[in-house]
Amino acid sequence: MKVLRRSVSSGGRQKGFTLIEVMVALLILAVGLLGFALLQTMNVRFTKSAQQRTIASNLAYEMIDIMRTQRARGSNFNGISYDSFSGTPSSACISGGAAAPSDNITRWKCQVTRDLPEGKAQVVLSPAGELTVTVRWGDSTWETDVNKQVTAFSVTSRL
């Protein structure tokens, strides 16, 4: 009795990748890269927003420090309101050492408008000595609604 053997030819087996497998791999890679690109753009937005919050915080605390050094003239600083920022000259940002309260106010307003987009501030000093400094600016990187594009940072302290 003779045993018949079939030889398996190598032509029936695959070697390498098919075009479909390559296309699926490229699709998965593209989705991953798009996710990475979205992550990078979100990172840039978060960094910009954090930078603006840091600037606003520094400006608010600077105003508190200025008012503490000129405590006797604290009522001069009550005139800082959101409406008082129109027409602030950009040349007033230069610090000149010890200055009168009006010079310090003008310099500080200039810094707020220069360092923050649409930057404005308000200072409220109560008769009891409680001081509130609020700095606000336009943060259009997050909100598409114009009414919600204003971000504010507020600090309350005692003189």
Side-chain angles (χ1 to χ4, degrees):
M1 186 163 205
K2 227 179 184 185
V3 177
L4 293 173
R5 286 194 172 170
R6 291 173 106 183
S7 67
V8 178
S9 69
S10 63
R13 291 195 170 170
Q14 282 185 321
K15 290 184 181 180
F17 300 106
T18 65
L19 184 59
I20 302 247
E21 289 172 329
V22 170
M23 295 301 282
V24 168
L26 284 175
L27 179 68
I28 292 171
L29 180 67
V31 168
L33 289 176
L34 282 175
F36 183 71
L38 179 64
L39 182 70
Q40 285 297 96
T41 57
M42 292 299 289
N43 183 32
V44 169
R45 290 168 79 183
F46 279 125
T47 302
K48 184 67 174 172
S49 183
Q51 177 191 21
Q52 290 173 344
R53 285 185 186 277
T54 301
I55 290 170
S57 171
N58 288 341
L59 287 168
Y61 283 110
E62 180 184 356
M63 177 50 69
I64 291 172
D65 289 342
I66 290 171
M67 289 184 72
R68 283 189 177 138
T69 60
Q70 299 178 351
R71 204 171 277 179
R73 299 178 182 163
S75 61
N76 293 341
F77 295 92
N78 260 343
I80 301 175
S81 67
Y82 298 129
D83 297 331
S84 69
F85 276 77
S86 61
T88 303
S90 59
S91 62
C93 290
I94 301 168
S95 178
S102 62
D103 296 335
N104 283 330
I105 290 170
T106 305
R107 181 189 53 78
W108 187 78
K109 283 182 181 180
C110 176
Q111 287 178 332
V112 170
T113 56
R114 180 192 67 191
D115 295 343
L116 295 171
E118 302 169 32
K120 294 182 178 184
Q122 178 176 347
V123 176
V124 177
L125 178 61
S126 73
E130 188 171 283
L131 170 67
T132 302
V133 178
T134 305
V135 180
R136 72 177 192 187
W137 66 96
D139 194 2
S140 60
T141 56
W142 294 108
E143 291 290 340
T144 55
D145 184 9
V146 177
N147 297 325
K148 296 180 181 178
Q149 287 183 352
V150 176
T151 303
F153 178 81
S154 185
V155 178
T156 301
S157 181
R158 280 206 172 277
L159 284 186

